[in-house]
Amino acid sequence: MLEFSRYDTLVFSEHGADTNCYGLQVVRERMGQLGKSYDAVDPQITLHSSFWPEQLLDFLRWDARRPTRTPVLVGGNAPSTNPAPYLAAGCNVFLGDGECYSDDSSSLLAPGNTTPAPVAVVPEVVPVSGYVDEQKEGKSSRRYFCEISRGCRNRCAFCQYGWLKPYREAAAEHVEAALEFAQTKHVRVFAADRFQHSAYSRIRSKLDALGAVDTGSDASIRFLLKHPELLAQTRKIRTGIEGMSFRLRKRVGKPITDDDIVNVHGAAVAAGIKSFDWYMIYGLPTETDADADAFLDLLAKLETPLKGHTLAIHWNAFQPNACTPLQWAAPAVGYPAARLKRIGAARFSFKAMHVPLLTSDATVARRTLLTRAAGPETADMLKIMAFQPIAGRNVAAMASAYQKRVGVDPFGEWPGDKPFPWDQHVQYDKSRMRRWYDKIAF
């Protein structure tokens, strides 16, 4: 059990250390309900929010250099799916939604924990009012954030968002009330797919009445096929295609056909949309050159609807994520670069921008190792990686050090009979995920 009444906050982003993010704002509201106050001068504990596994290295650097040794409570996506390295660093970890936090919660883990705990799930999502994000890249701009749903109805095999927690919508009246507090013209109405909110049209009407610009653009092909009228309510589309071929997409739980993709983009152009972004993954299990051929065929089918337009393709190297069906799979370390370079060299009647194309083996390996970080077994090597960046660039050395400590090749397929580092800390439906994996990978 944790007991504290005063706290400060910590989060890391590409801009460095900061004191707030949307997740921490949720937690601050919860702390206020519990009678706890923010105090950066004399805190009794530091609340740290972490989303990406790589932020663990930022935390270890901060932890080693801070002058005062107040306890740390960590929450967010990365520690909720793999608390092991944070517990080994002496942190307390809260699994799940910050709105559920209490000092004696069953989802609160202390250092030394070896009992799987439940991931806390708030039954109703209520948007935080008053959170503004400062964009510092290029021309500085400010955006008001309004969360309209959490989780995802689509359970793609590689994604934690649809597996860690169930899908929940914020009530339309709560969203409207939160939008009244908008302090900027630009509003990010965010969700895995904002169009899937059952009252999105009502939410959009509220934005229009306030004269606000919705900067969100994420949408799914499957939902736009069912509701093409929603294309009139956005200025750009950012969507996850993920697999190069229909075969791969179907295997990972995203069965969208080439015709589906072509039809949506044709309708989008007809609706006046000019900006298109795709999320793609290379190196999915069982991918071959034939899948790359299928992707080139798909792009060729878009020659007519996208002629004269620009398609930004955001390639991500596959890495296994904890608590997903693909957690057993090998990452795209040692990927045949020629396969992807062939796609990058192709030219069409539209401009295809690959941003980026390939990710270095060292980066994919580092991310995977941090995702699969264990507890005390890997604590020393993580500190070396944090303070000696060159250590995080040597793939062979990282593999050797991890295998010596854990007994598994971190960049290969995880053995089916070997527990994951998070198994002793997090309750999740591992057997169901294994059944999915067996269908995908073999």
Side-chain angles (χ1 to χ4, degrees), residues 125-141:
V125 175
V126 178
V128 166
S129 299
Y131 180 76
V132 175
D133 176 61
E134 184 77 29
Q135 298 293 297
K136 298 178 182 178
E137 294 182 3
K139 185 178 179 181
S140 180
S141 63

Side-chain angles (χ1 to χ4, degrees), residues 74-142:
V74 182
N77 188 73
S80 287
T81 49
N82 184 13
Y86 294 94
L87 294 169
C91 300
N92 299 276
V93 178
F94 183 74
L95 310 179
D97 291 332
E99 295 98 327
C100 298
Y101 177 81
S102 66
D103 294 342
D104 58 355
S105 170
S106 60
S107 300
L108 179 61
L109 309 182
N113 172 81
T114 57
T115 304
V119 176
V121 176
V122 66
E124 180 184 15
V125 175
V126 178
V128 166
S129 299
Y131 180 76
V132 175
D133 176 61
E134 184 77 29
Q135 298 293 297
K136 298 178 182 178
E137 294 182 3
K139 185 178 179 181
S140 180
S141 63
R142 301 171 74 244

Side-chain angles (χ1 to χ4, degrees), residues 282-284 287 289 317-318 330-340 358-366 368 395-396 409-412:
Y282 69 84
L284 285 169
E287 182 194 293
D289 287 341
F318 172 73
V333 175
Y335 183 82
R339 183 182 299 163
L340 202 56
L358 278 163
T359 302
S360 72
D361 270 359
T363 297
V364 182
R366 184 175 64 253
T368 301
V395 176
D409 175 6
F411 311 136

Side-chain angles (χ1 to χ4, degrees), residues 51-278:
F51 189 86
W52 303 110
E54 280 192 290
Q55 293 172 323
L56 176 60
L57 299 181
D58 292 314
F59 173 78
L60 292 174
R61 286 188 283 267
W62 171 85
D63 189 47
R65 293 167 175 163
R66 61 187 175 120
T68 57
R69 307 304 301 176
T70 53
V72 177
L73 172 58
V74 182
N77 188 73
S80 287
T81 49
N82 184 13
Y86 294 94
L87 294 169
C91 300
N92 299 276
V93 178
F94 183 74
L95 310 179
D97 291 332
E99 295 98 327
C100 298
Y101 177 81
S102 66
D103 294 342
D104 58 355
S105 170
S106 60
S107 300
L108 179 61
L109 309 182
N113 172 81
T114 57
T115 304
V119 176
V121 176
V122 66
E124 180 184 15
V125 175
V126 178
V128 166
S129 299
Y131 180 76
V132 175
D133 176 61
E134 184 77 29
Q135 298 293 297
K136 298 178 182 178
E137 294 182 3
K139 185 178 179 181
S140 180
S141 63
R142 301 171 74 244
R143 294 182 303 174
Y144 180 78
F145 272 45
C146 184
E147 182 181 23
I148 65 172
S149 72
R150 195 175 300 176
C152 183
R153 287 194 175 104
N154 305 319
R155 287 196 162 183
C156 300
F158 51 83
C159 182
Q160 292 168 323
Y161 207 52
W163 289 92
L164 184 62
K165 304 169 189 173
Y167 176 79
R168 291 144 294 158
E169 292 185 349
E173 57 268 25
H174 291 159
V175 175
E176 290 175 328
L179 290 174
E180 290 284 353
F181 288 88
Q183 303 165 28
T184 66
K185 180 179 179 181
H186 293 90
V187 177
R188 184 185 174 194
V189 173
F190 70 98
D193 180 355
R194 70 197 194 286
F195 286 158
Q196 289 194 33
H197 192 289
S198 59
Y200 179 75
S201 295
R202 178 175 167 182
I203 293 169
R204 181 67 189 216
S205 295
K206 182 65 175 181
L207 286 164
D208 292 343
L210 293 171
V213 176
D214 180 6
T215 64
S217 57
D218 290 339
S220 71
I221 296 293
R222 280 185 287 184
F223 198 75
L224 288 175
L225 280 170
K226 295 179 180 178
H227 299 280
E229 70 277 3
L230 292 171
L231 291 168
Q233 299 185 24
T234 187
R235 295 189 297 177
K236 62 180 181 177
I237 292 178
R238 186 185 295 261
T239 190
I241 303 298
E242 317 302 1
M244 291 183 181
S245 65
F246 174 68
R247 181 189 74 85
L248 284 176
R249 295 192 291 270
K250 184 177 180 181
R251 276 180 175 260
V252 300
K254 201 154 195 169
I256 50 175
T257 67
D258 286 7
D259 286 345
D260 293 339
I261 296 167
V262 172
N263 290 338
V264 165
H265 284 73
V269 170
I273 296 173
K274 299 179 180 180
S275 180
F276 301 89
D277 291 76
W278 286 5

